[in-house]
Amino acid sequence: MKIKNAEFVISNSSVAKCPDSKLPEYAFIGRSNVGKSSLINMLTGRKALAKTSATPGKTQLINHFLINDNWHLVDLPGYGYAKVSKSTKNTFQKFITAYFEKREQMICAFVLVDSRHSPQKIDMEFMQWLGEHQVPFCIIFTKADKLKSKELDLKLENYEAEMLKTWLEMPQYFVTSANTAMGQEEILDYIEEINKNLKLR
Ligand code: GTP
Ligand code: MG
C-alpha cells in the first residue's frame, strides 16, 4: 500500500469521543518508549505525524490519524510507565481497555515489543487480556536496528518459545526499525489485504 494521505484527526481520552466513523481502524499499543509514535511516522513516511520523545509517557491520549481517506491508524498511550502517578496510570488502563472493548471498527491491535528485551510480564498479560476479549492482534518487534542479525534471530526464537507456553501458535508478527524502515511494506500490505477483504464482505 502506498500512503497518499496521512492526517491527524483528533486526540481524546474517551472512547465515546473517538471519530464517529465506520472506517476500519488499526491500533498501536505497547509499553511506554517502545517506539509506537516513531513506528507510525515510519509507516506513514511522515517525520512528525505522531509526537515522539526520548522521555517515556509522551503519548497520553487516543490519537486518530486518517490514512488515504479510508482507514484510521490509532496511536495509544504506552502502558507500564512507572513514573506517572498511580491514578493517571489507572486512567490510561481504563480508557485503553474501554477502547478495545467498545470500538467495534477496531480491526487489529499491533502490540509493540522492543526486540532487544526478553519477554516482559506486562506485555504477556496484555496479550492475554486481548485474547480473552477476542481482540485480534499482531506483534511488532521494534528497534531491530539496535541488534546484530544473529542476536535478533535469537531474541525472536526466545520470544516465540515463551509465547508458545501459553498460546497454541505464535501470533502473526513483524520485525521493524523506525530508523531503516524495515517492516514498513509488510505491515502496510497486511493492512491493505484486510481492508480489501472487509470491502468484499
Ligand atoms: P510513549 O508515547 O512515551 O509511550 O513512547 P512511544 O512508544 O511512542 O516511543 P517513541 O516513538 O516516542 O520512541 C521512544 C524512543 O525510542 C525515541 O528516542 C526514539 O527515537 C527511539 N526509537 C523509536 N523507534 C526506534 C527504532 O526503530 N530504532 C532506534 N534506534 N530507536 C528508536
Ligand atoms: Mg508515543
Side-chain angles (χ1 to χ4, degrees), residues 125-161:
E125 284 174 0
F126 187 69
M127 288 188 266
Q128 199 66 41
W129 184 91
L130 291 174
E132 282 160 13
H133 290 77
Q134 280 144 28
V135 179
F137 72 91
C138 298
I139 301 177
I140 292 184
F141 293 97
T142 64
K143 310 191 188 183
D145 59 282
K146 294 203 176 194
L147 289 175
K148 298 201 181 83
S149 87
K150 275 214 174 117
E151 291 170 330
L152 180 63
D153 288 347
L154 271 177
K155 288 284 178 194
L156 294 173
E157 260 174 46
N158 178 36
Y159 211 95
E160 179 158 351

Side-chain angles (χ1 to χ4, degrees), residues 13-15 62 87-102 129:
S13 60
S14 142
V15 62
I62 304 175
S87 64
T88 322
K89 223 161 132 184
N90 288 340
T91 322
F92 290 172
Q93 272 153 17
K94 249 189 227 152
F95 76 68
I96 290 172
T97 52
Y99 169 82
F100 286 112
E101 280 168 351
K102 300 205 178 113
W129 184 91

Side-chain angles (χ1 to χ4, degrees), residues 32-38 53 57-59 143 145-146 178-179:
S32 202
N33 218 36
V34 68
K36 294 177 298 299
S37 301
S38 304
S53 164
K58 179 77 187 171
T59 309
K143 310 191 188 183
D145 59 282
K146 294 203 176 194
N179 288 10

Side-chain angles (χ1 to χ4, degrees), residues 66-191:
L66 178 63
I67 312 295
N68 292 350
D69 296 320
N70 71 359
W71 59 280
H72 280 123
L73 186 160
V74 181
D75 188 14
L76 292 168
Y79 50 74
Y81 173 48
K83 276 191 188 152
V84 292
S85 72
K86 216 170 185 181
S87 64
T88 322
K89 223 161 132 184
N90 288 340
T91 322
F92 290 172
Q93 272 153 17
K94 249 189 227 152
F95 76 68
I96 290 172
T97 52
Y99 169 82
F100 286 112
E101 280 168 351
K102 300 205 178 113
R103 195 75 178 155
E104 284 173 5
Q105 56 277 69
M106 208 295 303
I107 304 296
C108 179
F110 290 98
V111 179
L112 276 65
V113 299
D114 192 318
S115 56
R116 295 168 299 171
H117 299 163
S118 34
Q120 305 281 305
K121 189 161 173 254
I122 190 156
D123 295 323
M124 293 290 158
E125 284 174 0
F126 187 69
M127 288 188 266
Q128 199 66 41
W129 184 91
L130 291 174
E132 282 160 13
H133 290 77
Q134 280 144 28
V135 179
F137 72 91
C138 298
I139 301 177
I140 292 184
F141 293 97
T142 64
K143 310 191 188 183
D145 59 282
K146 294 203 176 194
L147 289 175
K148 298 201 181 83
S149 87
K150 275 214 174 117
E151 291 170 330
L152 180 63
D153 288 347
L154 271 177
K155 288 284 178 194
L156 294 173
E157 260 174 46
N158 178 36
Y159 211 95
E160 179 158 351
E162 189 63 32
M163 288 298 288
L164 293 179
K165 288 182 187 167
T166 43
W167 295 84
L168 281 176
E169 53 184 41
M170 179 68 177
Q172 169 86 41
Y173 70 87
F174 300 92
V175 183
T176 68
S177 160
N179 288 10
T180 67
M182 178 181 188
Q184 181 194 36
E185 250 186 71
E186 289 82 353
I187 295 173
L188 291 178
D189 288 351
Y190 182 77
I191 293 174

Side-chain angles (χ1 to χ4, degrees), residues 5-10 46 49 64-69 72:
N5 281 305
E7 57 190 86
F8 170 72
V9 183
I10 192 171
R46 306 293 190 276
L49 189 64
H64 275 75
F65 300 92
L66 178 63
I67 312 295
N68 292 350
D69 296 320
H72 280 123

